[in-house]
Amino acid sequence: MHMHKLEKIWMTFGVSMLIVFLIVLGVGAFALGAQTPGDHAHGQHRQVVDPETVEQTAPFNELGLKKIGENEYDAYMLAFAFGYGPEKMEIPAGATVHFHITSKDVVHGFQIPGTNVNMMVVPGEVNHLTYKFTKAGEYLVLCNEYCGTAHEVMQTRIIVS
Ligand code: CUA
């Protein structure tokens, strides 16, 4: 009888702790689930643009480099089947370039072999990436997403001197 009562107390205590534990877990999971996912991943904001009118819309109506600081540039670029605008860009060695690129048709890639520059170019969205060109030379920009018959020849160049 005595032992049975003690067991009952422990049993009640155990069940109570289990319930508290489950409540804490549930609240924690709810708090995590309540956070807004997706849009702010990688610290990038989402910027939308209409692929139909992107060529007439600032800043993509004037493709190329815009100097924004001491050897620092914004590069506005447009990908299309099968190429990139502008055709060529020239910058001094050591330049920091903030790429802003979108597509006016299908999904393309934007990759500079020999660097860590690699991103997708999606119609309707502007993708951003920053790279500092410390070494002089000719950098090839290649498309790494299959986008059609001339995908293989889709490229542009960045001359660093
Ligand atoms: Cu553009 Cu492959």
Side-chain angles (χ1 to χ4, degrees):
M1 243 352 231
H2 185 73
M3 281 305 286
H4 183 75
K5 202 177 173 188
L6 198 62
E7 268 172 16
K8 227 173 142 183
I9 289 167
W10 276 110
M11 188 72 179
T12 311
F13 178 74
V15 168
S16 304
M17 286 311 289
L18 187 66
I19 287 166
V20 168
F21 179 71
L22 287 175
I23 287 169
V24 168
L25 251 184
V27 168
F30 179 77
L32 278 177
Q35 283 177 5
T36 42
D39 286 4
H40 295 270
H42 315 298
Q44 292 180 353
H45 62 285
R46 210 180 148 122
Q47 191 182 341
V48 293
V49 65
D50 183 357
E52 300 272 312
T53 57
V54 65
E55 284 168 292
Q56 290 84 50
T57 311
F60 295 98
N61 54 346
E62 281 177 57
L63 298 176
L65 296 164
K66 282 202 177 69
K67 196 170 198 271
I68 56 164
E70 188 58 47
N71 213 358
E72 190 170 357
Y73 301 84
D74 271 327
Y76 294 100
M77 298 185 71
L78 190 62
F80 51 88
F82 299 96
Y84 299 92
E87 270 182 31
K88 176 170 124 178
M89 293 191 289
E90 289 179 55
I91 47 169
T96 298
V97 181
H98 306 280
F99 292 101
H100 309 271
I101 185 164
T102 186
S103 166
K104 67 171 183 178
D105 41 50
V106 296
V107 173
H108 297 281
F110 184 91
Q111 185 175 16
I112 305 178
T115 74
N116 61 359
V117 175
N118 189 352
M119 63 176 157
M120 272 174 88
V121 185
V122 182
E125 280 182 33
V126 181
N127 275 344
H128 312 266
L129 200 149
T130 298
Y131 186 74
K132 188 173 178 178
F133 291 87
T134 45
K135 276 190 282 179
E138 191 173 316
Y139 292 78
L140 206 57
V141 178
L142 296 174
C143 179
N144 58 9
E145 292 282 337
Y146 183 76
C147 53
T149 50
H151 157 74
E152 298 290 334
V153 297
M154 180 169 169
Q155 56 179 248
T156 188
R157 285 180 303 153
I158 298 169
I159 315 290
V160 182
S161 52

